[in-house]
PDB file of all heavy atoms in Angstrom:
ATOM      1  N   ALA A 445      45.988-135.269 -63.073  1.00  0.00           N
ATOM      2  CA  ALA A 445      45.432-136.632 -62.969  1.00  0.00           C
ATOM      3  C   ALA A 445      46.528-137.685 -63.116  1.00  0.00           C
ATOM      4  O   ALA A 445      47.307-137.659 -64.064  1.00  0.00           O
ATOM      5  CB  ALA A 445      44.365-136.831 -64.024  1.00  0.00           C
ATOM      6  N   GLY A 446      46.564-138.618 -62.164  1.00  0.00           N
ATOM      7  CA  GLY A 446      47.518-139.736 -62.258  1.00  0.00           C
ATOM      8  C   GLY A 446      46.789-141.010 -62.658  1.00  0.00           C
ATOM      9  O   GLY A 446      45.654-140.989 -63.134  1.00  0.00           O
ATOM     10  N   GLU A 447      47.439-142.113 -62.468  1.00  0.00           N
ATOM     11  CA  GLU A 447      46.846-143.403 -62.850  1.00  0.00           C
ATOM     12  C   GLU A 447      46.758-144.314 -61.621  1.00  0.00           C
ATOM     13  O   GLU A 447      47.514-144.174 -60.670  1.00  0.00           O
ATOM     14  CB  GLU A 447      47.673-144.093 -63.928  1.00  0.00           C
ATOM     15  CG  GLU A 447      47.633-143.393 -65.297  1.00  0.00           C
ATOM     16  CD  GLU A 447      48.500-142.154 -65.340  1.00  0.00           C
ATOM     17  OE1 GLU A 447      49.549-142.115 -64.662  1.00  0.00           O
ATOM     18  OE2 GLU A 447      48.103-141.197 -66.058  1.00  0.00           O
ATOM     19  N   GLY A 448      45.839-145.267 -61.724  1.00  0.00           N
ATOM     20  CA  GLY A 448      45.687-146.260 -60.657  1.00  0.00           C
ATOM     21  C   GLY A 448      44.812-145.747 -59.539  1.00  0.00           C
ATOM     22  O   GLY A 448      44.461-144.576 -59.451  1.00  0.00           O
ATOM     23  N   ALA A 449      44.454-146.707 -58.671  1.00  0.00           N
ATOM     24  CA  ALA A 449      43.610-146.365 -57.526  1.00  0.00           C
ATOM     25  C   ALA A 449      43.859-147.356 -56.416  1.00  0.00           C
ATOM     26  O   ALA A 449      44.290-148.488 -56.642  1.00  0.00           O
ATOM     27  CB  ALA A 449      42.139-146.364 -57.940  1.00  0.00           C
ATOM     28  N   VAL A 450      43.637-146.903 -55.230  1.00  0.00           N
ATOM     29  CA  VAL A 450      43.738-147.797 -54.073  1.00  0.00           C
ATOM     30  C   VAL A 450      42.589-148.803 -54.164  1.00  0.00           C
ATOM     31  O   VAL A 450      41.451-148.433 -54.467  1.00  0.00           O
ATOM     32  CB  VAL A 450      43.673-146.996 -52.768  1.00  0.00           C
ATOM     33  CG1 VAL A 450      43.623-147.930 -51.568  1.00  0.00           C
ATOM     34  CG2 VAL A 450      44.883-146.036 -52.666  1.00  0.00           C
ATOM     35  N   ALA A 451      42.918-150.111 -53.907  1.00  0.00           N
ATOM     36  CA  ALA A 451      41.882-151.155 -54.037  1.00  0.00           C
ATOM     37  C   ALA A 451      42.048-152.190 -52.931  1.00  0.00           C
ATOM     38  O   ALA A 451      43.058-152.239 -52.219  1.00  0.00           O
ATOM     39  CB  ALA A 451      41.992-151.812 -55.408  1.00  0.00           C
ATOM     40  N   THR A 452      41.061-153.024 -52.784  1.00  0.00           N
ATOM     41  CA  THR A 452      41.138-154.122 -51.801  1.00  0.00           C
ATOM     42  C   THR A 452      42.207-155.110 -52.254  1.00  0.00           C
ATOM     43  O   THR A 452      42.249-155.522 -53.412  1.00  0.00           O
ATOM     44  CB  THR A 452      39.781-154.825 -51.698  1.00  0.00           C
ATOM     45  OG1 THR A 452      38.782-153.859 -51.308  1.00  0.00           O
ATOM     46  CG2 THR A 452      39.841-155.952 -50.684  1.00  0.00           C
ATOM     47  N   GLN A 453      43.064-155.519 -51.354  1.00  0.00           N
ATOM     48  CA  GLN A 453      44.148-156.444 -51.700  1.00  0.00           C
ATOM     49  C   GLN A 453      43.653-157.895 -51.700  1.00  0.00           C
ATOM     50  O   GLN A 453      42.929-158.323 -50.819  1.00  0.00           O
ATOM     51  CB  GLN A 453      45.295-156.311 -50.703  1.00  0.00           C
ATOM     52  CG  GLN A 453      46.449-157.262 -51.013  1.00  0.00           C
ATOM     53  CD  GLN A 453      47.407-157.438 -49.844  1.00  0.00           C
ATOM     54  OE1 GLN A 453      47.072-157.009 -48.739  1.00  0.00           O
ATOM     55  NE2 GLN A 453      48.525-158.073 -50.076  1.00  0.00           N
ATOM     56  N   THR A 454      44.034-158.564 -52.722  1.00  0.00           N
ATOM     57  CA  THR A 454      43.781-160.007 -52.767  1.00  0.00           C
ATOM     58  C   THR A 454      44.950-160.709 -52.071  1.00  0.00           C
ATOM     59  O   THR A 454      46.101-160.442 -52.390  1.00  0.00           O
ATOM     60  CB  THR A 454      43.669-160.500 -54.218  1.00  0.00           C
ATOM     61  OG1 THR A 454      42.580-159.794 -54.862  1.00  0.00           O
ATOM     62  CG2 THR A 454      43.403-161.991 -54.250  1.00  0.00           C
ATOM     63  N   GLU A 455      44.606-161.561 -51.138  1.00  0.00           N
ATOM     64  CA  GLU A 455      45.662-162.203 -50.361  1.00  0.00           C
ATOM     65  C   GLU A 455      46.645-162.911 -51.276  1.00  0.00           C
ATOM     66  O   GLU A 455      46.276-163.657 -52.177  1.00  0.00           O
ATOM     67  CB  GLU A 455      45.043-163.217 -49.398  1.00  0.00           C
ATOM     68  CG  GLU A 455      46.053-163.807 -48.429  1.00  0.00           C
ATOM     69  CD  GLU A 455      45.421-164.764 -47.434  1.00  0.00           C
ATOM     70  OE1 GLU A 455      44.217-165.054 -47.564  1.00  0.00           O
ATOM     71  OE2 GLU A 455      46.165-165.172 -46.524  1.00  0.00           O
ATOM     72  N   GLY A 456      47.924-162.609 -51.026  1.00  0.00           N
ATOM     73  CA  GLY A 456      48.991-163.227 -51.798  1.00  0.00           C
ATOM     74  C   GLY A 456      49.358-162.472 -53.056  1.00  0.00           C
ATOM     75  O   GLY A 456      50.304-162.843 -53.752  1.00  0.00           O
ATOM     76  N   SER A 457      48.624-161.433 -53.337  1.00  0.00           N
ATOM     77  CA  SER A 457      48.918-160.651 -54.552  1.00  0.00           C
ATOM     78  C   SER A 457      49.436-159.268 -54.167  1.00  0.00           C
ATOM     79  O   SER A 457      49.335-158.830 -53.020  1.00  0.00           O
ATOM     80  CB  SER A 457      47.665-160.513 -55.414  1.00  0.00           C
ATOM     81  OG  SER A 457      46.673-159.777 -54.721  1.00  0.00           O
ATOM     82  N   ASP A 458      50.015-158.593 -55.176  1.00  0.00           N
ATOM     83  CA  ASP A 458      50.534-157.243 -54.930  1.00  0.00           C
ATOM     84  C   ASP A 458      49.388-156.261 -54.675  1.00  0.00           C
ATOM     85  O   ASP A 458      48.276-156.404 -55.203  1.00  0.00           O
ATOM     86  CB  ASP A 458      51.323-156.747 -56.140  1.00  0.00           C
ATOM     87  CG  ASP A 458      52.621-157.540 -56.335  1.00  0.00           C
ATOM     88  OD1 ASP A 458      53.138-158.048 -55.330  1.00  0.00           O
ATOM     89  OD2 ASP A 458      53.102-157.575 -57.487  1.00  0.00           O
TER      90      ASP A 458
END
Side-chain angles (χ1 to χ4, degrees):
E447 291 76 32
V450 174
T452 301
Q453 180 196 12
T454 301
E455 187 177 6
S457 64
D458 292 333

